Structures are given as structure tokens and as C-alpha cells.
Amino acid sequence: MAIIIPVKLLHMPSIPLNKVLRHFSVLELFEFSQCSQKAAAAIKLTNTKNFKLELNFNLSYVRINDDFKFEVKKLRADEVENVTGFRTFEKNQNMIYMDSRNKMTCLWEDRFARLRTIFSHLSKLFGCPTYSVRSDASVPTHAFLLVMHEIISRQSEINVLEIACKSLQENNVKWILEKLTVTDELMLGEKLSEDFGKNNSIQFVAKSLFIFNAKWVTPQKLLSMRNCVAIELDGSLLTDQDIINFFENWKSGQYPNLEFLSIKSEKLTRDLVLPGALRIERDFGWSQPKIICGKQRYIHCDFQILAHNGTIGSVQLDELARDVQFMVS
């Protein structure tokens, strides 16, 4: 009969311990870290600094590597019967249950505060940068800003950032964008004054840019977004002449990476005429779907515009919605 001898992992030298821990899944690493402070410290031997950490306030979860999700639900009487144990986050014990091999549900009274606690705990445990933060207008400002402070203390770039919560001040938005360069996707949901973006070091370099309440976006500020791949402005005050000037700039090569543009403005009129544009018959104007910045886009082409380098762009004008959409072939 074989005798099973338990292996004392934490008594092993760092190199063989590292080799063992590298075979652990995200969940197994987390569970191992719950054993002791020494176990938690050993986690970083596995090069977890390359992990992908995501916080989603909208859907109430923190995710690691697209593999494992810690989801937070508000504690209710009908949820207690599901509880199978407790886990510790930032010295706070938390009731949990496993939904599947890939998701742990954590029950707490204050959902947003505990999302931040779990995010902070995992960020320190794995020592990895934050890949994305998604938010919306229901998120308390205090919870959102605590997360931003923590991220900015450790990194200067983030891939995906949605800036939206209950009542964020303009100086907070300015501080975040001056401290964090957003590389892939930036969503701005706050109401900002017309002076926003003046006399500061904010750079719009994200590949995909979505701005609600875009009244502050002037033609000059639109030109500062010239390196973006996709730009969407909702609620802007750009005029017919601003749109004409934009297309002249695009034709001359001022927006070399641009593949998609959408501008909704109450200032647009039915009299908008695009010089040099070729009108397309309505029945034949549907564009081919195109994946741009991870999203499938297509428009109904009312006009085609030719850039000086021979690139063709399709334009859709919705006079009722006061919306201009533009897609590069």
C-alpha cells in the first residue's frame, strides 16, 4: 500500500517552489494565498505581474486573465443558504460560494465598496497592473476615486478606462487623464465645461474614444484626437462648417489612423453640403461590416469622399437625428 507523504510547500527553496506554483490556476493561487501571509508572499514568485486585472463596476466583478471572476452581490436572506465558506480580502472576512470552476460569488452589504476591497486585495496579491476599469453613473464617486488613486500610485498607463460615476468633479477628471495615459479605449461620461482640455497636458491617444456630453469638444480639440482609430461624440455643438472642415483635414491626411467617426450635434442642419462628395443611390449604399477596435461597424453610405492619397471614406447623414457617421474603407 502506497504511503502518501504531504509536501510542505513553504519549506521548499524558492526555485522549486516557483516551479510548483506555476502549475497552479488563478483560483488555486488565490486559495493558497489564504493559508497565511507567507503563502500570499510566495505567490509573486510565479511572475503574476504579467496577469491581466480587470475591474467592472457595471457588472460587479473583478476578473483575472479572462480565466477567473470574483463577482460581488448584495447580501440578501435568500442568498445566505448558498454560502459554502468564508474568504479574507484586506483583513475582511467575506461569505462566498462557488458558481462554477471559473467564478466565486462574494456576498457583502455594500456592493461598490466591496468591489473596491476585492480589487485592492487582488492587485496587491498578484502585483500586476490594472488592464481595465469600467464604470457608469450609478457608481459612488468615493469608491471610483479610491480605485483611481490606487491605480495611479502604481502605473502611468491603462488599456481601458471608463470615467463615469454619480457626481465626479471636473478637476478629478482632469487629474485622472493627466496622470493616466489610456491606450486602447477611453469613455468619458461626465459633463465638462467648455474650458476642459485647455492649458493642460491631457492627450487623447486611445485607439477608441467615446465621449458623452461632448459640448466641450471644439474643432481644435477634435483635431487633438487625430491619432485615434474610432471617435464617437454624443451631444456635441459642432456646426455644419466644423464638419466640412473635419473632412478637409481628413482628406489632407490629418487623421492617418481614423477608421470610424460618429458625431451627434444639435447644431447640424439639413443644409449640410460636403464639397466634392459623391452621392450614392440609397438602395446601394450599405457598407460591408467591419471590425474596428473590437466592435462590428457598418453604415448606410449616402456619400463617398476621396482623400488626397486615394483612400475612400463613406459618409452617412441622418438629418433627423442630427448625426454624421463616417467609415474608412
Side-chain angles (χ1 to χ4, degrees):
M1 181 176 177
I3 299 176
I4 299 176
I5 301 176
V7 177
K8 297 181 179 180
L9 285 178
L10 293 177
H11 290 189
M12 297 173 65
S14 60
I15 293 178
L17 175 59
N18 180 15
K19 291 181 178 180
V20 172
L21 293 179
R22 281 180 180 273
H23 293 283
F24 281 27
S25 67
V26 170
L27 175 60
E28 289 168 339
L29 287 172
F30 170 75
E31 296 287 44
F32 180 66
S33 75
Q34 293 281 298
C35 298
S36 67
Q37 291 184 351
K38 187 174 181 180
I43 296 298
K44 292 186 178 65
L45 292 173
T46 64
N47 205 26
T48 55
K49 65 181 181 180
N50 293 321
F51 280 8
K52 178 181 176 183
L53 177 64
E54 300 175 87
L55 169 61
N56 193 317
F57 278 117
N58 306 346
L59 301 179
S60 298
Y61 69 75
V62 182
R63 184 165 59 189
I64 306 287
N65 283 359
D66 298 325
D67 295 329
F68 195 83
K69 182 188 296 184
F70 296 82
E71 186 174 280
V72 176
K73 286 186 178 180
K74 186 174 178 61
L75 180 62
R76 301 192 310 263
D78 61 338
E79 288 282 0
V80 174
E81 63 186 28
N82 297 326
V83 172
T84 56
F86 292 83
R87 296 294 183 274
T88 301
F89 299 92
E90 298 281 275
K91 298 180 181 180
N92 294 291
Q93 274 210 326
N94 187 91
M95 289 185 285
I96 65 99
Y97 62 86
M98 295 294 297
D99 287 280
S100 67
R101 294 176 57 191
N102 300 314
K103 187 173 78 169
M104 177 185 294
T105 293
C106 308
L107 302 175
W108 253 315
E109 286 291 342
D110 187 333
R111 180 168 61 90
F112 292 118
R114 298 320 179 194
L115 267 171
R116 188 202 67 80
T117 299
I118 292 174
F119 164 79
S120 180
H121 179 87
L122 296 175
S123 178
K124 294 171 185 174
L125 175 65
F126 294 120
C128 57
T130 304
Y131 178 87
S132 68
V133 175
R134 296 193 181 276
S135 186
D136 62 27
S138 70
V139 179
T141 301
H142 181 67
F144 183 80
L145 285 178
L146 283 175
V147 166
M148 288 296 103
H149 274 279
E150 189 163 348
I151 292 172
I152 288 170
S153 71
R154 294 192 304 268
Q155 62 192 77
S156 59
E157 285 190 1
I158 190 169
N159 294 74
V160 178
L161 179 60
E162 295 181 352
I163 300 178
C165 53
K166 283 186 177 178
S167 57
L168 197 62
Q169 298 296 315
E170 184 167 309
N171 63 324
N172 295 139
V173 178
K174 181 176 177 236
W175 170 73
I176 292 168
L177 291 178
E178 286 182 336
K179 295 294 184 180
L180 270 182
T181 299
V182 185
T183 59
D184 292 355
E185 181 183 343
L186 171 63
M187 187 277 281
L188 272 174
E190 301 300 311
K191 289 184 178 180
L192 304 169
S193 72
E194 293 184 9
D195 289 333
F196 183 77
K198 288 183 179 178
N199 303 319
N200 57 44
S201 57
I202 296 173
Q203 296 182 348
F204 295 100
V205 299
K207 294 176 183 177
S208 177
L209 185 61
F210 196 158
I211 301 175
F212 293 99
N213 304 307
K215 292 182 178 181
W216 58 273
V217 179
T218 62
Q220 293 74 25
K221 291 169 186 171
L222 179 60
L223 195 57
S224 73
M225 305 168 188
R226 64 171 65 90
N227 292 316
C228 297
V229 175
I231 303 171
E232 297 178 72
L233 306 179
D234 195 346
S236 81
L237 294 177
L238 295 175
T239 65
D240 291 1
Q241 188 58 52
D242 294 332
I243 299 300
I244 291 170
N245 292 341
F246 161 78
F247 281 114
E248 291 301 317
N249 289 331
W250 174 79
K251 288 193 289 186
S252 67
Q254 290 291 324
Y255 294 84
N257 302 323
L258 188 66
E259 296 184 37
F260 181 79
L261 174 83
S262 174
I263 296 177
K264 294 180 180 178
S265 172
E266 60 189 67
K267 295 289 187 179
L268 297 180
T269 72
R270 296 172 181 266
D271 300 324
L272 176 59
V273 176
L274 302 177
L278 175 65
R279 179 175 287 276
I280 303 299
E281 290 295 330
R282 193 72 187 173
D283 293 338
F284 301 99
W286 287 107
S287 65
Q288 292 293 321
K290 184 177 181 181
I291 302 296
I292 300 173
C293 295
K295 297 179 181 178
Q296 182 168 282
R297 323 251 189 179
Y298 63 91
I299 66 173
H300 187 283
C301 177
D302 296 314
F303 300 92
Q304 283 189 337
I305 293 182
L306 185 66
H308 299 334
N309 64 1
T311 301
I312 297 174
S314 300
V315 183
Q316 175 180 320
L317 296 180
D318 188 331
E319 297 172 347
L320 293 177
R322 298 184 180 185
D323 182 14
V324 176
Q325 293 194 46
F326 175 63
M327 193 162 75
V328 179
S329 302

